[in-house]
Amino acid sequence: MAPTTDNAGFAGDAGTARSSLEALRTEIAKAVVGQDPAVTGLVVALLCRGHVLLEGVPGVAKTLLVRALASALELDTKRVQFTPDLMPSDITGSLVYDARTAEFSFQPGPVFTNLLLADEINRTPPKTQSSLLEAMEERQVTVDGTPRPLPEPFLVAATQNPVEYEGTYPLPEAQLDRFLLKLTIPLPSREDEIDVLTRHAEGFNPRDLRAAGVRPVAGPADLEAARAAVAKTAVSPEITGYVVDICRATRESPSLTLGVSPRGATALMATSRAWAWLTGRDYVIPDDVKALALPTLRHRIQLRPEAEMEGVTADSVINAILAHVPVPR
């Protein structure tokens, strides 16, 4: 279980919570250069009680990003390297025989944390991938018929390499649909890469975030206050119809074999509300929906093989739909 922390320094009201969460960007930037969109996506996922799939080539600071976020939010984090021989019990935990008491006791696995980094999740077989489904959906783990609740907050940040497919097991649609967002972590710009090298030359140690100056600027109380405020963010019937029209358009696209499900429409509504609140409004506008459409929907659609061969991408299909679906006034 996550260690108990003293959050008395965090007020927990909605106004203070927004300021504290906005300060995350500055705090995480002390360790991670140029990944503001990914930081925002992770915060949106925390506000929506969702999970994130991080896609990027090795070496773009995906692990460091999650560790820095956990440090700035004063949350417990654990990392699991997914490999072909990883077993479900290596994640969830198992019953261990105690010779002294002649009884079995439960030994919690690394999933019992606040932020779980599932590194290279597509390198482990489906049986082990599926062991996360109950944790992600129901926020509990059942071992030997006994359900065991996970700490709160709980977020799975899973990574995968977009260019290396040998020895991987693609995530099935059902599991992809459990991720609220799919965030792409790009290679840094030339200026950002110079900044990274300069920091390392000056002694930056990615394994020592305290030395880098990363300090807690928010806590669980702020997250709870923020979630309560997001739940009160107004959504007009016109915006609801706009979200539905976008998702229905994916089901009719000639480039796709699989469109967005109603779960995906619900996810887009939730992320749009969180984004609206983070930007200082208590109501959702069409621009909020557009801003979150790509990360919320790109992993919930499936391209036709012939469209993929023609260079069509999930993002290009969604952008085309956004350009054609009427925007409410």
Side-chain angles (χ1 to χ4, degrees), residues 2-328:
T4 302
T5 55
D6 181 10
N7 295 302
F10 304 120
D13 62 272
T16 303
R18 183 187 286 115
S19 300
S20 298
L21 293 177
E22 287 173 350
L24 282 175
R25 288 195 187 101
T26 302
E27 205 63 25
I28 293 174
K30 295 176 181 178
V32 182
V33 178
Q35 296 293 358
D36 279 357
V39 173
T40 302
L42 286 165
V43 173
V44 166
L46 281 167
L47 292 179
C48 298
R49 300 177 186 269
H51 309 285
V52 176
L53 183 62
L54 300 170
E55 187 173 270
V57 299
V60 290
K62 298 187 292 294
T63 301
L64 181 61
L65 175 63
V66 175
R67 288 181 54 242
L69 176 68
S71 181
L73 280 173
E74 211 170 26
L75 298 175
D76 183 46
T77 183
K78 290 185 175 68
R79 174 179 178 271
V80 177
Q81 181 66 49
F82 279 65
T83 57
D85 59 349
L86 194 72
M87 298 297 291
S89 59
D90 295 329
I91 300 171
T92 61
S94 58
L95 295 176
V96 178
Y97 181 73
D98 189 339
R100 294 173 298 177
T101 62
E103 294 180 350
F104 286 92
S105 61
F106 178 66
Q107 182 66 37
V111 74
F112 287 86
T113 187
N114 297 124
L115 269 67
L116 175 68
L117 178 62
D119 213 355
E120 294 189 291
I121 189 173
N122 57 338
R123 287 203 171 277
T124 201
K127 180 180 180 180
T128 305
Q129 290 177 7
S130 64
S131 66
L132 278 177
L133 283 175
E134 182 187 14
M136 294 170 69
E137 187 67 20
E138 301 179 31
R139 299 177 183 277
Q140 67 176 27
V141 167
T142 301
V143 177
D144 196 34
T146 303
R148 293 173 169 84
L150 295 172
E152 182 62 37
F154 174 69
L155 178 143
V156 174
T159 72
Q160 65 178 14
N161 186 337
V163 296
E164 188 176 355
Y165 295 108
E166 186 175 347
T168 63
Y169 303 83
L171 296 177
E173 285 73 20
Q175 182 142 11
L176 282 172
D177 207 34
R178 294 306 195 280
F179 287 100
L180 181 72
L181 300 171
K182 179 182 177 181
L183 304 175
T184 56
I185 311 296
L187 289 167
S189 65
R190 183 177 186 274
E191 291 73 19
D192 286 342
E193 195 163 3
I194 289 174
D195 191 2
V196 170
L197 268 63
T198 301
R199 292 185 183 195
H200 279 266
E202 293 172 350
F204 171 71
N205 182 0
R207 296 172 184 81
D208 189 355
L209 294 178
R210 287 285 179 180
V214 179
R215 298 289 185 271
V217 294
D222 294 301
L223 279 176
E224 282 304 312
R227 287 170 172 175
V230 169
K232 297 176 183 176
T233 302
V235 183
S236 69
E238 292 78 15
I239 293 295
T240 301
Y242 184 50
V243 170
V244 169
D245 289 343
I246 290 171
C247 295
R248 290 182 69 85
T250 65
R251 302 168 202 164
E252 300 166 0
S253 172
S255 299
L256 302 178
T257 58
L258 179 69
V260 177
S261 69
R263 192 209 305 270
T266 303
L268 182 54
M269 178 70 75
T271 56
S272 300
R273 294 176 83 184
W275 176 247
W277 180 81
L278 279 173
T279 52
R281 278 178 283 100
D282 59 359
Y283 58 92
V284 179
I285 62 175
D287 283 348
D288 300 325
V289 179
K290 291 180 179 180
L292 272 297
L294 284 179
T296 307
L297 304 181
R298 59 163 59 110
H299 57 297
R300 303 175 191 271
I301 61 178
Q302 192 173 82
L303 291 168
R304 291 187 182 277
E306 55 269 28
E308 203 165 1
M309 290 176 64
E310 293 172 0
V312 177
T313 65
D315 285 11
S316 66
V317 172
I318 295 170
N319 281 326
I321 288 172
L322 292 174
H324 286 90
V325 172
V327 180

